[in-house]
Structures are given as structure tokens and as C-alpha cells.
Amino acid sequence: MKIFLDTADVGEIREGVAMGMVDGVTTNPTLVSRTGRPFKEVIEEICGIVSGPVSAEAVSMDTQGLIKEANELSSIASNVVVKIPMTVDGLKAVKACAEKGIKTNVTLVFQSLQGLLAAKAGASFVSPFVGRLDDLAGEGMDMVAELLTMLSNYNYSAEVIVASIRHPMHVVQSAMVGAHVVTIPFKVLNSLTKHPLTDRGIEAFLKDYEKIPKG
Ligand code: E4P
């Protein structure tokens, strides 16, 4: 399973890359706004750090506007993937982008059928948001499992990025249902490395090492 970082913080991205864990990055307007920096500058810098796909979100509401933004965003770097919202205008833009060879990531998917339509339109990636569904007492991971089965039934090449990940169990569940990618906040990546018994074990081994006579 590929791991993308869901952040626009270049410090976090550099740290994740140093860990050897970052296959790509997803951003959204909220994440970029937290950096306090210009949008294009941030995306350009991220694309210089990560060689894998970097999702940058288009914000137009109409097809022509989305296509124009897709052209602009994809010219920033060859690894930019244009994030397009799951709307009718969005689907039309995805189709136009696919015809031009521009990669897209259809975002804000909350229903497996929305994901199927995105794949049919030619999206390279589809992003079901599990955490936001779970927040409303939904079952985000059921949607992911359904979507994966649908895409596999009809041999769609779109990769499913499980998004809106809140905790390590979402990552476990994503891997168990065979998601192609999880996109996770940096703090979740960090928590995947940790277990209290690992810390306790290291502490005990270090103490015992001190008891070994020095030769
Ligand atoms: C995905 O591409 C989105 O950026 C992200 O996962 C949204 O997650 P949130 O629900 O934590 O905002």
C-alpha cells in the first residue's frame, strides 16, 4: 500500500521523505492556507521534495474554469495531479483532462457510486473521505471496500486514495481491504511507528546492556 502525506507543510514532508515512507502528497485549500504562503510556491516546493504524485486542488465551480486551472496546475511540475471536486462539472473536467493526459484526483467522494463515476470519467485517483463520514456515524470503510470491488469488477485503472484518515485503525482497515493508497496526516504517520511495549523494551535492553561487564 502506498502512503501519501496529507499536508502542505514542507517540514513534515521532508521528515516523512527522510523516513522513506512518502510515496506522494495530497493537499487541499485548507492545508495550504495553514502554511500562510502563496499556493503555487508551496506546490512547487513540495514537487521538488517528492517525486511521486502531488495533488493540488482546483477551486472553480464550472467545467471551463476547472480545465483552465488544471492546465495551470499541471504546468507547475510533471508530478502534479489536479484535484477536482466530485460534481457534474468536475466529471466533465476530469474527462477533458484525461483526454489531454492530465492526471486527476477526484476529491470529496462520500459514496462508492460517486467513485465509480469518477473512474469512468477517467480519473487517475479517487479519494473517498472516511473520517468525515465516520464523524456523522457513517461507515467510511464500507464505502472504500465497495468502491474497490466495483473498480476491480470492471478493470478500472483508477487508484483509490483513502482520505480523511483520523487514526491508525483507518490505516489498518485500508490495508485489509486492499486500498491502493492511504493519505495520512504527519501525526498519524508518526503514531504508526510507535508502541508503548517498543519503548519499554528499548528501555529494559539499554539498562541490561549497562550490566554487561566491559571487556
Ligand atoms: C484528502 O485528499 C484531503 O486532503 C483530506 O484527507 C481531508 O481530510 P480531513 O477530513 O481531515 O480534512
Side-chain angles (χ1 to χ4, degrees):
M1 185 170 65
K2 284 177 262 190
I3 296 180
F4 290 2
L5 271 187
D6 195 29
T7 182
D9 181 323
V10 292
E12 292 181 346
I13 294 167
R14 285 185 203 284
E15 180 60 20
V17 167
M19 287 164 70
M21 290 299 140
V22 178
D23 300 301
V25 169
T26 52
T27 67
N28 62 41
T30 307
L31 295 171
V32 176
S33 75
R34 283 185 198 147
T35 68
R37 298 173 56 199
F39 187 85
K40 190 177 170 208
E41 181 186 295
V42 173
I43 300 299
E44 214 162 17
E45 186 170 349
I46 296 172
C47 289
I49 304 170
V50 177
S51 55
V54 174
S55 287
E57 191 150 342
V59 292
S60 298
M61 294 305 295
D62 63 301
T63 304
Q64 283 318 310
L66 286 166
I67 294 171
K68 185 168 172 284
E69 276 190 80
N71 284 324
E72 290 160 4
L73 292 171
S74 62
S75 72
I76 295 177
S78 58
N79 52 337
V80 165
V81 172
V82 182
K83 231 174 170 186
I84 295 193
M86 176 59 218
T87 59
V88 171
D89 278 73
L91 289 178
K92 291 178 190 168
V94 167
K95 183 173 179 295
C97 285
E99 283 160 4
K100 288 174 156 188
I102 296 174
K103 289 192 172 172
T104 54
N105 170 5
V106 174
T107 189
L108 293 165
V109 166
F110 291 96
Q111 223 262 51
S112 53
L113 285 174
Q114 289 181 312
L116 181 68
L117 296 188
K120 193 173 168 65
S124 308
F125 299 97
V126 181
S127 292
F129 277 38
V130 295
R132 292 190 194 188
L133 258 193
D134 290 0
D135 291 345
L136 296 181
E139 268 302 341
M141 213 46 74
D142 288 353
M143 161 184 59
V144 174
E146 276 179 19
L147 177 56
L148 286 166
T149 302
M150 289 174 179
L151 298 190
S152 141
N153 284 348
Y154 299 103
N155 288 324
Y156 284 115
S157 58
E159 293 185 54
V160 172
I161 304 178
V162 184
S164 189
I165 294 264
R166 299 274 192 264
H167 47 68
M169 273 318 287
H170 277 150
V171 182
V172 171
Q173 291 161 342
S174 299
M176 294 302 288
V177 296
H180 306 90
V181 188
V182 278
T183 188
I184 56 179
F186 184 70
K187 72 171 193 319
V188 174
L189 174 63
N190 251 332
S191 65
L192 298 184
T193 67
K194 296 191 195 316
H195 195 284
L197 290 179
T198 306
D199 296 341
R200 216 188 294 170
I202 290 171
E203 205 181 309
F205 285 152
L206 288 177
K207 265 193 197 141
D208 291 341
Y209 182 80
E210 290 307 315
K211 295 178 197 158
I212 300 171
K214 307 287 176 283

